[in-house]
Amino acid sequence: MAPFFSILPVLSLLPLLSSAAFTDTLPLRSSLSVDKHQTDTLRSPNGTFTCGFHSIYDNAFTFSIWYTNSANKTVVWTANRDRPVHARGAVMTLRKGGALVLTDYDGTVVWQREGDPAGVRYAQLLETGNLVLKNSRGMVLWQSFDSPTDTLLPSQCINAATKLVSTTGLHVPGHYIFHFTDSSILSLIYDDVDVHEIYWPDPDNGEYQNSRNRYNSTRLAGLDEMGNFVSSDFANQRAIVASDEGHGIKRRLTLDPDGNLRLYSLNNSDGRWSVSWIAVSQPCNIHGLCGPNGICHYLPAPTCSCPPGYVMSNPRNWSQGCSPQVDINCTVDQVQPVQFVPLPGIDYWGSDQLHRDQVSLEACKNICRSDCTCKGFQYNQGSGTCYPKAFLYNGKAYTAPTKSARMMHLKLPMGVNISGIPIPQTNVLISRKQHPDCGQMNASTMEPFPYVHKANQGEAKWFYFYGFAGAIFVLEVFFIASAWCFVLRWELGASEIQAVEEGYKMMTSNFRRYSYKELVKATRKFKEELGRGGSGIVYKGILDNSRAVAVKTLENVRQCEEEFQAELSIIGRINHMNLVRIWGFCSESSHRMLVTEYIENGSLANILFKDNILLEWRQRFNIALGVAKGLAYLHHECLEWVIHCDVKPENILLDRNLEPKIADFGLVKLLNRGGSNQNVSRVRGTIGYIAPEWISSLQITAKVDVYSYGVVLLELLLGKRVLDLAVGADEEVHKVLRNLVGMLVHMLDNEESSSIAEVVDCRLNGQFNYMQARTLIKFVVSCLDEDRSKRPTMESIVQTLLLADESCSMC
Ligand SMILES: *[C@@H]1O[C@H](CO)[C@@H](O)[C@H](O)[C@H]1NC(C)=O
Ligand SMILES: *[C@@H]1O[C@H](CO)[C@@H](O)[C@H](O)[C@H]1NC(C)=O
Ligand SMILES: *[C@@H]1O[C@H](CO)[C@@H](O)[C@H](O)[C@H]1NC(C)=O
Ligand SMILES: *[C@@H]1O[C@H](CO)[C@@H](O)[C@H](O)[C@H]1NC(C)=O
Ligand SMILES: *[C@@H]1O[C@H](CO)[C@@H](O)[C@H](O)[C@H]1NC(C)=O
Ligand SMILES: *[C@@H]1O[C@H](CO)[C@@H](O)[C@H](O)[C@H]1NC(C)=O
Ligand SMILES: *[C@@H]1O[C@H](CO)[C@@H](O)[C@H](O)[C@H]1NC(C)=O
Ligand SMILES: *[C@@H]1O[C@H](CO)[C@@H](O)[C@H](O)[C@H]1NC(C)=O
């Protein structure tokens, strides 16, 4: 019997012997020591992860797991995040009883985990990055995956009981949390003693608008090997997809020190991380960034500032925000005289004490004046809504034109001198350097060219706004990154800067330059023509990786190479499910081409007017909604405030599921910039769809797209081309449209339900949703308003259509 027993210890050492240099296993009664932290480590079987002591300061270590190959030891899990151990004498031991115990130099137990104490035989670092305690049968009794820190790895799950908590620059847990809320919605939350607020998904929207589903209380989320992140509350189980989706890439989902959640991919050759998805693309939307009373604004780099009457609390640390120069004394019996300072465009999200509808500005002031704890109020002129606030958190200066109605009124003691103190504002108007070798780039010749907004007379400025909607897309800006880091360098520690820098590094692998030869081959010498437009011919192509693409040859490109690429680098990052994705470009000698996603079902024009496929009502409504979303994104949310200028059914493509995707956005930026005008009308819009202000040569705004969208809506309803109702000149079409609109207005006024059926495409045989049709008709009327200021914004159209869609999906 004796020889048999002596084999047992050897068996438990077998895993140790399987790899000469590294082991993944820590047997019972053995330990890892900080004194030998270079060699005393566990390494996962294929070497992806290492586990051991990790130095955070000269004399302080944590027990952590990190990516072996990452340039700066990217830590994915830490046992003792809030209590580092000394550089000498600390050990992690798997004790005889099965407890895994971390002790400091003096023997203090800093951290410990017991599995089923009796059963634990060894600890093992798995290839997934999971540190587990196993029993003799290999069953897992405890795993580090159940108590994540700030990072989620592929195959790891977040459930009702787990959460990610950010790590600050001082290597301690921060105030940002990623977990399931009580209503089972996976959220990003800012949490400190005074505030507990959700900032992702967008708190201004309902679950439905955020594509979340509150009726699934499974509360389970996880990242898979392909780069898909799914959660039980995502509507239709639709995943968040890494922009470099695919096997064989090492990833992590990390809640960074700046409160943003990012999905990273590792470049194995240089150990650097690139971002393949980001939760909040406009940093000012992250709560707590500028601390109490602070205001986040874009210059265009995100910046924190104090409002008038306030000063920065701690000049080294923005998270402590601003404090009032003079406090209002609430203990005084009689009410102290106060003044209200209007802060246009600024809102402090949340912390409303109450809300009153339909009160005058004066009444709102009185409400705030009489309550000593009131720090100011938000007042909505239109609805007369008054929101007095007791705390001023999440101050943000809005940019989008539609949000300009926001006005914060700050309450300050009477004596405080605020004259000459600037009000923080988002300044998205930045001067754009003119390229000296692009002669035609001249402010005076560009009017009324779109994108140019004459902020100050005679000075062409570029409207520029970044961010992004939807959960599935990545877009970041290189040149913002440097400015952003410059701003933050002041306030954040070194590792926070690093995270921010990594976070803002653009993931460019999906947008690339193609050689002319490659495209000749892909299109088989430009054999299969898909379509022709004012800007060029589109061909179908198949790339080497057998991906189908559309290759568009651009005529009339007059820009120099540098400028062409600069524009492309912006357009190429625009990414939204209702916009055709641009994969790359070719720019060689005189060839200028765009390589875009190939969309299976061709254009809306082909299907609606030519093919004999009948679009059902549901599909038409979905197209109206999708196009509105795409345009709203271009107008309000994307990188640069882009006006499409040529919205028409030809430029709306339909994918396999008849989901619309807008093509040719941003083309105006590439073509024929203000120069010779023989093709101007083609570039600048299409007869039948162009707004009246084109003709009166007023300055062009996003409202030209709203007008064209109105025409497209009308065509979706009628199933006919508006142009076919008129013949000849543009004035003619215009007249026909005016008559039609007049008729529709009359119809809406008289609530004639029968006549709505007469308007809607007769091929539908009356199979349509009356309420939705009415909503669309109302939009046709308002979008086609001669007075562009009366046309709605695409953003508000989306909101209304979503509601119309929702109310229907519920009935
Ligand atoms: C380790 O690498 C080998 C060879 O590359 C691979 O076949 C195996 O699946 C990997 N093991 C794990 C656990 O990833
Ligand atoms: C690693 O850290 C050092 C010092 O903090 C820094 O200079 C270097 O750029 C970092 N490397 C990467 C790849 O981030
Ligand atoms: C809830 O989510 C889980 C996990 O994603 C899914 O398997 C389940 O079918 C969902 N339940 C309902 C009622 O949608
Ligand atoms: C990985 O890093 C190497 C070296 O810096 C670089 O050449 C390569 O392009 C990178 N790969 C990706 C996919 O970014
Ligand atoms: C900044 O202030 C916050 C809140 O008081 C604190 O938690 C954080 O550690 C500070 N950061 C630095 C770098 O001092
Ligand atoms: C508030 O006013 C009262 C009475 O004038 C005074 O005693 C008290 O010190 C004041 N408190 C502050 C914080 O200024
Ligand atoms: C307020 O401040 C401005 C500029 O700092 C100064 O010119 C002005 O005289 C001050 N007004 C009063 C009443 O102190
Ligand atoms: C640019 O505009 C200025 C006037 O603003 C004009 O003098 C100059 O000739 C223009 N340059 C070009 C290349 O058109």
Side-chain angles (χ1 to χ4, degrees), residues 510-544:
N510 275 340
F511 183 75
R512 55 168 288 224
R513 184 186 195 120
Y514 293 88
S515 69
Y516 182 65
K517 226 171 102 195
E518 257 178 298
L519 295 185
V520 168
K521 182 169 162 243
T523 56
R524 288 176 298 151
K525 297 199 180 124
F526 303 101
K527 208 162 161 202
E528 192 179 339
E529 190 176 312
L530 294 172
R532 255 164 211 273
S535 48
I537 305 172
V538 188
Y539 301 92
K540 184 173 177 179
I542 308 282
L543 294 180
D544 282 342

mmCIF file of all heavy atoms in Angstrom, residues 510-544:
data_model
loop_
_atom_site.group_PDB
_atom_site.id
_atom_site.type_symbol
_atom_site.label_atom_id
_atom_site.label_comp_id
_atom_site.label_asym_id
_atom_site.label_seq_id
_atom_site.Cartn_x
_atom_site.Cartn_y
_atom_site.Cartn_z
ATOM 1 N N ASN A 510 -10.624 49.375 -39.742
ATOM 2 C CA ASN A 510 -11.702 49.123 -40.685
ATOM 3 C C ASN A 510 -11.768 50.158 -41.801
ATOM 4 O O ASN A 510 -12.526 50.020 -42.735
ATOM 5 C CB ASN A 510 -13.040 49.093 -39.961
ATOM 6 C CG ASN A 510 -13.298 47.728 -39.390
ATOM 7 O OD1 ASN A 510 -12.697 46.753 -39.828
ATOM 8 N ND2 ASN A 510 -14.169 47.660 -38.413
ATOM 9 N N PHE A 511 -11.034 51.225 -41.680
ATOM 10 C CA PHE A 511 -11.075 52.252 -42.703
ATOM 11 C C PHE A 511 -9.693 52.320 -43.325
ATOM 12 O O PHE A 511 -8.731 52.644 -42.641
ATOM 13 C CB PHE A 511 -11.446 53.596 -42.079
ATOM 14 C CG PHE A 511 -11.586 54.686 -43.094
ATOM 15 C CD1 PHE A 511 -12.700 54.740 -43.899
ATOM 16 C CD2 PHE A 511 -10.608 55.645 -43.247
ATOM 17 C CE1 PHE A 511 -12.834 55.735 -44.844
ATOM 18 C CE2 PHE A 511 -10.734 56.639 -44.189
ATOM 19 C CZ PHE A 511 -11.856 56.691 -44.986
ATOM 20 N N ARG A 512 -9.600 51.969 -44.574
ATOM 21 C CA ARG A 512 -8.253 51.904 -45.117
ATOM 22 C C ARG A 512 -8.187 52.424 -46.539
ATOM 23 O O ARG A 512 -9.184 52.682 -47.191
ATOM 24 C CB ARG A 512 -7.723 50.476 -45.047
ATOM 25 C CG ARG A 512 -8.619 49.444 -45.727
ATOM 26 C CD ARG A 512 -7.908 48.131 -45.863
ATOM 27 N NE ARG A 512 -6.903 48.244 -46.877
ATOM 28 C CZ ARG A 512 -6.690 47.315 -47.817
ATOM 29 N NH1 ARG A 512 -7.381 46.211 -47.834
ATOM 30 N NH2 ARG A 512 -5.772 47.499 -48.744
ATOM 31 N N ARG A 513 -6.953 52.524 -46.972
ATOM 32 C CA ARG A 513 -6.704 52.994 -48.322
ATOM 33 C C ARG A 513 -6.561 51.785 -49.225
ATOM 34 O O ARG A 513 -5.895 50.815 -48.871
ATOM 35 C CB ARG A 513 -5.395 53.777 -48.285
ATOM 36 C CG ARG A 513 -5.065 54.407 -49.572
ATOM 37 C CD ARG A 513 -3.685 55.033 -49.489
ATOM 38 N NE ARG A 513 -3.567 55.928 -50.613
ATOM 39 C CZ ARG A 513 -3.357 57.224 -50.504
ATOM 40 N NH1 ARG A 513 -3.175 57.755 -49.328
ATOM 41 N NH2 ARG A 513 -3.302 57.971 -51.578
ATOM 42 N N TYR A 514 -7.231 51.816 -50.364
ATOM 43 C CA TYR A 514 -7.104 50.735 -51.322
ATOM 44 C C TYR A 514 -6.305 51.228 -52.520
ATOM 45 O O TYR A 514 -6.397 52.408 -52.876
ATOM 46 C CB TYR A 514 -8.488 50.281 -51.791
ATOM 47 C CG TYR A 514 -9.311 49.629 -50.705
ATOM 48 C CD1 TYR A 514 -10.110 50.382 -49.867
ATOM 49 C CD2 TYR A 514 -9.257 48.250 -50.510
ATOM 50 C CE1 TYR A 514 -10.857 49.784 -48.850
ATOM 51 C CE2 TYR A 514 -9.997 47.643 -49.504
ATOM 52 C CZ TYR A 514 -10.791 48.415 -48.681
ATOM 53 O OH TYR A 514 -11.512 47.816 -47.690
ATOM 54 N N SER A 515 -5.552 50.323 -53.116
ATOM 55 C CA SER A 515 -4.837 50.742 -54.317
ATOM 56 C C SER A 515 -5.782 50.593 -55.511
ATOM 57 O O SER A 515 -6.750 49.834 -55.470
ATOM 58 C CB SER A 515 -3.594 49.873 -54.528
ATOM 59 O OG SER A 515 -3.990 48.564 -54.875
ATOM 60 N N TYR A 516 -5.477 51.342 -56.545
ATOM 61 C CA TYR A 516 -6.316 51.290 -57.745
ATOM 62 C C TYR A 516 -6.343 49.863 -58.283
ATOM 63 O O TYR A 516 -7.385 49.344 -58.672
ATOM 64 C CB TYR A 516 -5.765 52.271 -58.781
ATOM 65 C CG TYR A 516 -6.586 52.348 -60.044
ATOM 66 C CD1 TYR A 516 -7.891 52.837 -60.012
ATOM 67 C CD2 TYR A 516 -6.069 51.935 -61.271
ATOM 68 C CE1 TYR A 516 -8.659 52.903 -61.158
ATOM 69 C CE2 TYR A 516 -6.824 52.002 -62.421
ATOM 70 C CZ TYR A 516 -8.124 52.488 -62.364
ATOM 71 O OH TYR A 516 -8.874 52.547 -63.506
ATOM 72 N N LYS A 517 -5.180 49.217 -58.241
ATOM 73 C CA LYS A 517 -5.070 47.848 -58.747
ATOM 74 C C LYS A 517 -6.027 46.911 -58.003
ATOM 75 O O LYS A 517 -6.734 46.110 -58.605
ATOM 76 C CB LYS A 517 -3.623 47.368 -58.568
ATOM 77 C CG LYS A 517 -3.054 46.677 -59.790
ATOM 78 C CD LYS A 517 -1.566 46.432 -59.616
ATOM 79 C CE LYS A 517 -1.292 44.991 -59.243
ATOM 80 N NZ LYS A 517 0.069 44.795 -58.734
ATOM 81 N N GLU A 518 -6.020 47.059 -56.698
ATOM 82 C CA GLU A 518 -6.910 46.238 -55.874
ATOM 83 C C GLU A 518 -8.374 46.393 -56.302
ATOM 84 O O GLU A 518 -9.126 45.422 -56.369
ATOM 85 C CB GLU A 518 -6.817 46.696 -54.407
ATOM 86 C CG GLU A 518 -5.999 45.836 -53.487
ATOM 87 C CD GLU A 518 -5.965 46.462 -52.097
ATOM 88 O OE1 GLU A 518 -5.448 47.593 -51.957
ATOM 89 O OE2 GLU A 518 -6.472 45.835 -51.172
ATOM 90 N N LEU A 519 -8.751 47.635 -56.572
ATOM 91 C CA LEU A 519 -10.151 47.891 -56.900
ATOM 92 C C LEU A 519 -10.488 47.445 -58.313
ATOM 93 O O LEU A 519 -11.601 47.020 -58.590
ATOM 94 C CB LEU A 519 -10.487 49.370 -56.694
ATOM 95 C CG LEU A 519 -10.387 49.819 -55.230
ATOM 96 C CD1 LEU A 519 -10.857 51.257 -55.076
ATOM 97 C CD2 LEU A 519 -11.179 48.912 -54.308
ATOM 98 N N VAL A 520 -9.498 47.528 -59.212
ATOM 99 C CA VAL A 520 -9.718 47.008 -60.564
ATOM 100 C C VAL A 520 -10.006 45.516 -60.462
ATOM 101 O O VAL A 520 -10.946 44.994 -61.070
ATOM 102 C CB VAL A 520 -8.480 47.261 -61.455
ATOM 103 C CG1 VAL A 520 -8.588 46.471 -62.749
ATOM 104 C CG2 VAL A 520 -8.335 48.747 -61.735
ATOM 105 N N LYS A 521 -9.218 44.863 -59.624
ATOM 106 C CA LYS A 521 -9.392 43.424 -59.462
ATOM 107 C C LYS A 521 -10.739 43.125 -58.781
ATOM 108 O O LYS A 521 -11.491 42.254 -59.217
ATOM 109 C CB LYS A 521 -8.237 42.885 -58.618
ATOM 110 C CG LYS A 521 -8.274 41.399 -58.419
ATOM 111 C CD LYS A 521 -6.971 40.883 -57.812
ATOM 112 C CE LYS A 521 -7.183 39.497 -57.231
ATOM 113 N NZ LYS A 521 -6.987 39.420 -55.796
ATOM 114 N N ALA A 522 -11.038 43.876 -57.723
ATOM 115 C CA ALA A 522 -12.265 43.621 -56.974
ATOM 116 C C ALA A 522 -13.501 43.799 -57.848
ATOM 117 O O ALA A 522 -14.460 43.040 -57.745
ATOM 118 C CB ALA A 522 -12.338 44.552 -55.767
ATOM 119 N N THR A 523 -13.460 44.788 -58.714
ATOM 120 C CA THR A 523 -14.638 45.058 -59.547
ATOM 121 C C THR A 523 -14.550 44.335 -60.884
ATOM 122 O O THR A 523 -15.370 44.564 -61.766
ATOM 123 C CB THR A 523 -14.773 46.561 -59.833
ATOM 124 O OG1 THR A 523 -13.551 47.004 -60.443
ATOM 125 C CG2 THR A 523 -15.015 47.359 -58.574
ATOM 126 N N ARG A 524 -13.574 43.489 -61.053
ATOM 127 C CA ARG A 524 -13.297 42.807 -62.315
ATOM 128 C C ARG A 524 -13.333 43.818 -63.453
ATOM 129 O O ARG A 524 -14.170 43.778 -64.350
ATOM 130 C CB ARG A 524 -14.297 41.670 -62.532
ATOM 131 C CG ARG A 524 -14.025 40.492 -61.579
ATOM 132 C CD ARG A 524 -15.062 39.417 -61.732
ATOM 133 N NE ARG A 524 -16.376 39.944 -61.390
ATOM 134 C CZ ARG A 524 -17.517 39.506 -61.911
ATOM 135 N NH1 ARG A 524 -17.505 38.562 -62.814
ATOM 136 N NH2 ARG A 524 -18.662 40.033 -61.538
ATOM 137 N N LYS A 525 -12.443 44.759 -63.350
ATOM 138 C CA LYS A 525 -12.302 45.851 -64.332
ATOM 139 C C LYS A 525 -13.607 46.635 -64.500
ATOM 140 O O LYS A 525 -14.048 46.904 -65.607
ATOM 141 C CB LYS A 525 -11.818 45.323 -65.680
ATOM 142 C CG LYS A 525 -10.441 44.704 -65.600
ATOM 143 C CD LYS A 525 -9.811 44.623 -66.969
ATOM 144 C CE LYS A 525 -8.432 44.006 -66.891
ATOM 145 N NZ LYS A 525 -8.300 42.817 -67.760
ATOM 146 N N PHE A 526 -14.215 46.966 -63.406
ATOM 147 C CA PHE A 526 -15.426 47.801 -63.403
ATOM 148 C C PHE A 526 -16.511 47.237 -64.312
ATOM 149 O O PHE A 526 -17.027 47.892 -65.204
ATOM 150 C CB PHE A 526 -15.068 49.241 -63.788
ATOM 151 C CG PHE A 526 -14.026 49.816 -62.872
ATOM 152 C CD1 PHE A 526 -12.685 49.883 -63.250
ATOM 153 C CD2 PHE A 526 -14.381 50.235 -61.598
ATOM 154 C CE1 PHE A 526 -11.726 50.376 -62.386
ATOM 155 C CE2 PHE A 526 -13.416 50.730 -60.731
ATOM 156 C CZ PHE A 526 -12.091 50.797 -61.127
ATOM 157 N N LYS A 527 -16.805 45.981 -64.074
ATOM 158 C CA LYS A 527 -17.718 45.264 -64.936
ATOM 159 C C LYS A 527 -19.176 45.493 -64.548
ATOM 160 O O LYS A 527 -19.996 45.850 -65.379
ATOM 161 C CB LYS A 527 -17.391 43.770 -64.825
ATOM 162 C CG LYS A 527 -17.748 42.997 -66.080
ATOM 163 C CD LYS A 527 -17.023 41.664 -66.081
ATOM 164 C CE LYS A 527 -17.659 40.676 -67.031
ATOM 165 N NZ LYS A 527 -17.312 39.300 -66.652
ATOM 166 N N GLU A 528 -19.478 45.290 -63.244
ATOM 167 C CA GLU A 528 -20.887 45.306 -62.859
ATOM 168 C C GLU A 528 -21.296 46.675 -62.310
ATOM 169 O O GLU A 528 -20.944 47.036 -61.195
ATOM 170 C CB GLU A 528 -21.121 44.226 -61.783
ATOM 171 C CG GLU A 528 -22.584 43.967 -61.533
ATOM 172 C CD GLU A 528 -22.792 42.870 -60.480
ATOM 173 O OE1 GLU A 528 -21.872 42.058 -60.249
ATOM 174 O OE2 GLU A 528 -23.873 42.848 -59.879
ATOM 175 N N GLU A 529 -22.045 47.390 -63.111
ATOM 176 C CA GLU A 529 -22.454 48.726 -62.700
ATOM 177 C C GLU A 529 -23.718 48.637 -61.850
ATOM 178 O O GLU A 529 -24.663 47.948 -62.196
ATOM 179 C CB GLU A 529 -22.717 49.572 -63.952
ATOM 180 C CG GLU A 529 -22.909 51.024 -63.647
ATOM 181 C CD GLU A 529 -23.082 51.849 -64.931
ATOM 182 O OE1 GLU A 529 -22.285 51.681 -65.880
ATOM 183 O OE2 GLU A 529 -24.027 52.655 -64.969
ATOM 184 N N LEU A 530 -23.697 49.315 -60.710
ATOM 185 C CA LEU A 530 -24.877 49.279 -59.833
ATOM 186 C C LEU A 530 -25.741 50.509 -60.031
ATOM 187 O O LEU A 530 -26.937 50.476 -59.800
ATOM 188 C CB LEU A 530 -24.448 49.212 -58.363
ATOM 189 C CG LEU A 530 -23.733 47.945 -57.893
ATOM 190 C CD1 LEU A 530 -23.214 48.127 -56.490
ATOM 191 C CD2 LEU A 530 -24.673 46.747 -57.955
ATOM 192 N N GLY A 531 -25.117 51.593 -60.403
ATOM 193 C CA GLY A 531 -25.905 52.807 -60.566
ATOM 194 C C GLY A 531 -25.035 53.972 -60.977
ATOM 195 O O GLY A 531 -23.809 53.881 -60.991
ATOM 196 N N ARG A 532 -25.701 55.061 -61.317
ATOM 197 C CA ARG A 532 -25.018 56.251 -61.758
ATOM 198 C C ARG A 532 -25.640 57.441 -61.063
ATOM 199 O O ARG A 532 -26.852 57.492 -60.902
ATOM 200 C CB ARG A 532 -25.268 56.460 -63.253
ATOM 201 C CG ARG A 532 -24.151 56.144 -64.156
ATOM 202 C CD ARG A 532 -24.680 56.028 -65.586
ATOM 203 N NE ARG A 532 -23.860 55.075 -66.302
ATOM 204 C CZ ARG A 532 -22.728 55.419 -66.927
ATOM 205 N NH1 ARG A 532 -22.335 56.666 -66.968
ATOM 206 N NH2 ARG A 532 -22.008 54.502 -67.531
ATOM 207 N N GLY A 533 -24.827 58.364 -60.681
ATOM 208 C CA GLY A 533 -25.386 59.565 -60.069
ATOM 209 C C GLY A 533 -24.604 60.775 -60.500
ATOM 210 O O GLY A 533 -23.674 60.660 -61.316
ATOM 211 N N GLY A 534 -24.990 61.899 -59.975
ATOM 212 C CA GLY A 534 -24.319 63.134 -60.332
ATOM 213 C C GLY A 534 -22.852 63.099 -59.969
ATOM 214 O O GLY A 534 -22.021 63.736 -60.621
ATOM 215 N N SER A 535 -22.517 62.327 -58.963
ATOM 216 C CA SER A 535 -21.146 62.365 -58.488
ATOM 217 C C SER A 535 -20.282 61.291 -59.119
ATOM 218 O O SER A 535 -19.066 61.363 -59.062
ATOM 219 C CB SER A 535 -21.142 62.201 -56.977
ATOM 220 O OG SER A 535 -21.969 61.112 -56.636
ATOM 221 N N GLY A 536 -20.872 60.296 -59.742
ATOM 222 C CA GLY A 536 -20.057 59.266 -60.360
ATOM 223 C C GLY A 536 -20.815 57.962 -60.520
ATOM 224 O O GLY A 536 -22.017 57.888 -60.280
ATOM 225 N N ILE A 537 -20.064 56.936 -60.936
ATOM 226 C CA ILE A 537 -20.688 55.635 -61.208
ATOM 227 C C ILE A 537 -20.344 54.687 -60.060
ATOM 228 O O ILE A 537 -19.242 54.738 -59.505
ATOM 229 C CB ILE A 537 -20.162 55.063 -62.538
ATOM 230 C CG1 ILE A 537 -20.395 56.102 -63.644
ATOM 231 C CG2 ILE A 537 -20.852 53.759 -62.889
ATOM 232 C CD1 ILE A 537 -19.741 55.739 -64.959
ATOM 233 N N VAL A 538 -21.288 53.817 -59.726
ATOM 234 C CA VAL A 538 -21.058 52.857 -58.648
ATOM 235 C C VAL A 538 -20.954 51.456 -59.229
ATOM 236 O O VAL A 538 -21.783 51.052 -60.045
ATOM 237 C CB VAL A 538 -22.223 52.894 -57.632
ATOM 238 C CG1 VAL A 538 -21.878 52.049 -56.415
ATOM 239 C CG2 VAL A 538 -22.534 54.316 -57.217
ATOM 240 N N TYR A 539 -19.923 50.739 -58.835
ATOM 241 C CA TYR A 539 -19.731 49.371 -59.304
ATOM 242 C C TYR A 539 -19.735 48.411 -58.131
ATOM 243 O O TYR A 539 -19.373 48.769 -57.015
ATOM 244 C CB TYR A 539 -18.377 49.230 -60.010
ATOM 245 C CG TYR A 539 -18.214 50.140 -61.189
ATOM 246 C CD1 TYR A 539 -17.636 51.394 -61.031
ATOM 247 C CD2 TYR A 539 -18.640 49.745 -62.458
ATOM 248 C CE1 TYR A 539 -17.475 52.251 -62.114
ATOM 249 C CE2 TYR A 539 -18.493 50.599 -63.544
ATOM 250 C CZ TYR A 539 -17.912 51.840 -63.367
ATOM 251 O OH TYR A 539 -17.762 52.674 -64.427
ATOM 252 N N LYS A 540 -20.122 47.175 -58.432
ATOM 253 C CA LYS A 540 -20.031 46.160 -57.390
ATOM 254 C C LYS A 540 -18.653 45.529 -57.417
ATOM 255 O O LYS A 540 -18.060 45.366 -58.485
ATOM 256 C CB LYS A 540 -21.102 45.080 -57.620
ATOM 257 C CG LYS A 540 -21.104 44.058 -56.501
ATOM 258 C CD LYS A 540 -22.246 43.065 -56.592
ATOM 259 C CE LYS A 540 -22.066 42.069 -55.454
ATOM 260 N NZ LYS A 540 -23.105 41.060 -55.412
ATOM 261 N N GLY A 541 -18.144 45.192 -56.266
ATOM 262 C CA GLY A 541 -16.842 44.547 -56.204
ATOM 263 C C GLY A 541 -16.811 43.512 -55.102
ATOM 264 O O GLY A 541 -17.647 43.528 -54.204
ATOM 265 N N ILE A 542 -15.861 42.596 -55.221
ATOM 266 C CA ILE A 542 -15.666 41.605 -54.156
ATOM 267 C C ILE A 542 -14.214 41.721 -53.711
ATOM 268 O O ILE A 542 -13.296 41.555 -54.520
ATOM 269 C CB ILE A 542 -15.917 40.164 -54.666
ATOM 270 C CG1 ILE A 542 -17.271 40.032 -55.365
ATOM 271 C CG2 ILE A 542 -15.768 39.163 -53.524
ATOM 272 C CD1 ILE A 542 -18.456 39.929 -54.444
ATOM 273 N N LEU A 543 -14.010 42.002 -52.455
ATOM 274 C CA LEU A 543 -12.637 42.139 -51.957
ATOM 275 C C LEU A 543 -12.021 40.769 -51.728
ATOM 276 O O LEU A 543 -12.702 39.752 -51.780
ATOM 277 C CB LEU A 543 -12.638 42.924 -50.646
ATOM 278 C CG LEU A 543 -13.071 44.384 -50.732
ATOM 279 C CD1 LEU A 543 -13.012 45.019 -49.366
ATOM 280 C CD2 LEU A 543 -12.197 45.147 -51.709
ATOM 281 N N ASP A 544 -10.722 40.774 -51.443
ATOM 282 C CA ASP A 544 -10.004 39.514 -51.241
ATOM 283 C C ASP A 544 -10.620 38.657 -50.144
ATOM 284 O O ASP A 544 -10.635 37.442 -50.230
ATOM 285 C CB ASP A 544 -8.531 39.799 -50.899
ATOM 286 C CG ASP A 544 -7.767 40.156 -52.158
ATOM 287 O OD1 ASP A 544 -8.286 39.836 -53.249
ATOM 288 O OD2 ASP A 544 -6.680 40.750 -52.045
#
